[in-house]
Amino acid sequence: MNSCVLAGRLCADPELRTLDTGTEVCQFTLACDRRFKDAQGQKQTDFIYCKAWGKTAVFVTTYFHKGDGLTLGGRIETRRYEDKNGDTRTAFEVVAENVEFPLGKKDDNRSAAPAAHTGAPTVVPDDDELPF
């Protein structure tokens, strides 16, 4: 099974492109802190390359910006390519299939945003219905 869950902050605004086929794709980098500090007591962070397709890509670029927290579920993909020196390299990317706002402080500018995008229709709850 190829499945992963990530929570982190966007390093930059996601970039949305539309392919010749009309399909949208966005790419973004997620900074994810590790649970434990290193031997010197320093926090460690991984910078993970991610992409999303279709309606999920539009959702990400509409509601998330540099520095925003983001939680996603997806899968890891690998691809091979040649670098400028002709060496074969392998790239690892996470394909975001489910994207959500992280739990925590409510951001007023997101009150009209859906809570998550899973590729299925989303329901936007009324503020009075939220448990927080």
Side-chain angles (χ1 to χ4, degrees):
M1 179 186 316
N2 182 350
S3 180
C4 67
V5 176
L6 299 174
R9 295 202 171 274
L10 288 172
C11 296
D13 286 344
E15 300 175 22
L16 183 69
R17 293 184 302 130
T18 302
L19 304 179
D20 293 339
T21 61
T23 302
E24 294 95 355
V25 60
C26 79
Q27 295 177 308
F28 54 95
T29 302
L30 203 59
C32 301
D33 292 336
R34 293 184 185 176
R35 290 177 69 174
F36 304 102
K37 296 180 180 179
D38 67 11
Q40 291 76 32
Q42 299 297 314
K43 175 176 69 171
Q44 298 295 299
T45 303
D46 293 303
F47 297 91
I48 301 174
Y49 299 103
C50 304
K51 64 183 171 185
W53 294 92
K55 292 181 181 181
T56 303
V58 174
F59 175 77
V60 169
T61 56
T62 301
Y63 295 109
F64 294 93
H65 305 285
K66 179 180 179 178
D68 287 345
L70 182 145
T71 301
L72 68 82
R75 67 182 188 277
I76 299 170
E77 285 189 353
T78 60
R79 60 183 169 82
R80 293 186 164 277
Y81 67 96
E82 268 190 31
D83 67 12
K84 62 183 178 182
N85 297 324
D87 296 324
T88 301
R89 302 282 185 184
T90 302
F92 293 85
E93 296 174 314
V94 172
V95 177
E97 296 170 336
N98 303 310
V99 177
E100 301 178 7
F101 296 107
L103 297 177
K105 181 179 173 185
K106 180 182 171 189
D107 188 350
D108 288 337
N109 68 356
R110 293 189 181 148
S111 59
H117 192 274
T118 61
T122 57
V123 176
V124 180
D126 193 358
D127 281 348
D128 295 333
E129 298 173 2
L130 297 175
F132 49 91

